[in-house]
Amino acid sequence: MKLHDSALSRACLFTATGLLCAAGAWAQAYPAKPIQLIAQQPPGSASDAMTRIWADCAAHELGQSVVVMNKPGANGVLAINGLKGQAADGYTLMSIGMSQMSITPYTYRQRPYDPGADFDGVAVLGTSALVLAVPTGEGLARLADLHKLAKATPGGLNFGSPGKGSPAHLLTTALLDKMGASGTHVPFVGEGAGVTALIGKQIQAMTLVIGTAAAQVKAGRLHALAVFDTQRSPLLPDVPTVAELLPAAADLARPSWIAIVAKAGTPAAAIARLGAVTEQCRGNAQYRSRLEAMSVVITPSTPADVRAWAARDAAVWRPLIDRLGLVSE
């Protein structure tokens, strides 16, 4: 006889397999209350926008609210500490980027967290190409022009990023190194603040996600010099890839990505439910159109892919971090 949830719960208390039965009842009930989703970048950023698009779709599929809480700072470390301080019960999640999973922890001598041990993956949401951009009206039409400016400027270029250890920080530093030029990193709290400084010519260059860069290029505020990808983007078809401009920089053609994670130790049933919901969202036309409007390439993934992608990219970034001397206290 099929039992209703309440009857099943009562039956579980009086059986030898009570623990297993209770786990089944818990899985059926999850989520029984709203879920908090921590965003590690400020409102208005591309990462925040992707977080909210997933939250809207997941809430609809789960039948429970998914409340986004922004906790920017230290390129995600503050948000990660916030997640680690919560129970591993599936009711606090976090959106996290390639930066936090495969770059940021390795820029500290004493790592603030362990990507392989502190998180359970839910899903990779998608990837975005990155673009090196400069202010318009500065006579910087080509990468070679930026190279000349860097060589002629005492101390090199001032270039921005959304924070220490971000892909923008590492890619720009690595590109300048391959060009034989120097620069000074200026970190901001989020991409939006850096874009404002770039448009205002307070910094001379910044690597941006392609959706942000393309909008500002179209508005005439910024000029794109290179795409960190293996092929040109339909959004910016006239902008060459870094490999076209500098073959030695072909290894820098790596898009950024965003994933959803939970605290390590979260019940497998919750992870499976959230992963299934993400798969349902990938088939949702509105969800797809909102991400594609941001030039996000939606990727199929399983919960295990989050750690796999992190390990794959860390194998590339960690040697580069060491070689460029980006490790600090």
Side-chain angles (χ1 to χ4, degrees), residues 49 77 240:
V77 175

Side-chain angles (χ1 to χ4, degrees), residues 4 7 15 21 27 45 60 124 142 148 172 185 203 210 267 291 303:
H4 292 295
T15 63
C21 195
S45 64
H60 178 267
V124 177
R142 302 175 303 150
K148 290 177 183 176
T172 313
H185 176 228
I203 53 176
I210 194 164
L291 287 179

Side-chain angles (χ1 to χ4, degrees), residues 15 71 94 98 104 119 164 179 188 195 207 241 270 302 309:
T15 63
K71 205 172 182 67
M94 178 179 168
M98 174 181 74
T104 303
F119 311 116
K164 174 189 173 183
M179 292 166 56
F188 293 89
V195 169
T207 296
T241 66
T302 66
W309 281 41

Side-chain angles (χ1 to χ4, degrees), residues 108-127:
Y108 292 89
R109 205 167 308 281
Q110 296 293 326
R111 292 179 200 162
Y113 59 92
D114 182 344
D118 289 339
F119 311 116
D120 283 336
V122 170
V124 177
L125 302 187
T127 65

Side-chain angles (χ1 to χ4, degrees), residues 4-326:
H4 292 295
D5 288 351
S6 58
L8 176 63
S9 298
R10 289 194 298 272
C12 284
L13 297 176
F14 300 102
T15 63
T17 56
L19 289 177
L20 181 61
C21 195
W26 185 92
Q28 288 181 6
Y30 176 84
K33 61 182 181 179
I35 293 171
Q36 178 179 266
L37 177 57
I38 302 173
Q40 43 86 18
Q41 292 291 325
S45 64
S47 172
D48 172 74
M50 289 181 67
T51 302
R52 292 176 186 277
I53 291 169
W54 184 85
D56 288 347
C57 184
H60 178 267
E61 298 293 343
L62 290 167
Q64 284 285 355
S65 298
V66 179
V67 181
V68 177
M69 182 182 75
N70 294 88
K71 205 172 182 67
N75 195 38
V77 175
L78 293 183
I80 289 165
N81 287 338
L83 176 66
K84 289 171 66 176
Q86 300 299 313
D89 57 5
Y91 288 99
T92 303
L93 309 174
M94 178 179 168
S95 63
I96 200 163
M98 174 181 74
S99 174
Q100 292 77 35
M101 291 297 287
S102 57
I103 300 176
T104 303
Y106 308 113
T107 63
Y108 292 89
R109 205 167 308 281
Q110 296 293 326
R111 292 179 200 162
Y113 59 92
D114 182 344
D118 289 339
F119 311 116
D120 283 336
V122 170
V124 177
L125 302 187
T127 65
S128 295
L130 293 158
V131 178
L132 180 65
V134 295
T136 56
E138 295 293 279
L140 302 172
R142 302 175 303 150
L143 186 64
D145 298 327
L146 190 69
H147 185 203
K148 290 177 183 176
L149 177 62
K151 298 288 281 186
T153 303
L157 296 173
N158 289 323
F159 67 92
S161 86
K164 174 189 173 183
S166 64
H169 174 201
L170 192 55
L171 286 173
T172 313
T173 302
L175 182 60
L176 288 173
D177 178 70
K178 289 178 182 292
M179 292 166 56
S182 59
T184 299
H185 176 228
V186 183
F188 293 89
V189 179
E191 188 180 60
V195 169
T196 299
L198 184 62
I199 293 172
K201 303 178 182 178
Q202 297 167 323
I203 53 176
Q204 295 159 308
M206 185 166 172
T207 296
L208 309 169
V209 294
I210 194 164
T212 301
Q216 297 298 336
V217 168
K218 183 177 180 180
R221 300 185 186 98
L222 297 178
H223 182 71
L225 298 182
V227 178
F228 290 97
D229 207 343
T230 55
Q231 58 188 7
R232 296 194 183 197
S233 168
L235 271 183
L236 298 169
D238 297 328
V239 181
T241 66
V242 288
E244 289 179 70
L245 298 170
L246 190 65
D251 60 330
L252 301 183
R254 309 192 70 81
S256 66
W257 49 269
I258 295 290
I260 302 296
V261 297
K263 183 179 178 179
T266 294
I271 297 296
R273 177 84 171 101
L274 294 166
V277 159
T278 306
E279 186 60 33
Q280 290 174 313
C281 286
R282 292 190 191 103
N284 181 294
Q286 184 179 31
Y287 174 85
R288 294 186 66 87
S289 65
R290 290 179 70 185
L291 287 179
E292 288 167 356
M294 295 176 60
S295 303
V296 173
V297 177
I298 299 170
T299 56
S301 79
T302 66
D305 287 333
V306 179
R307 282 182 178 167
W309 281 41
R312 176 201 67 189
D313 285 351
V316 174
W317 296 128
R318 289 181 67 181
L320 190 59
I321 289 166
D322 291 339
R323 186 173 68 77
L324 296 175
L326 298 180

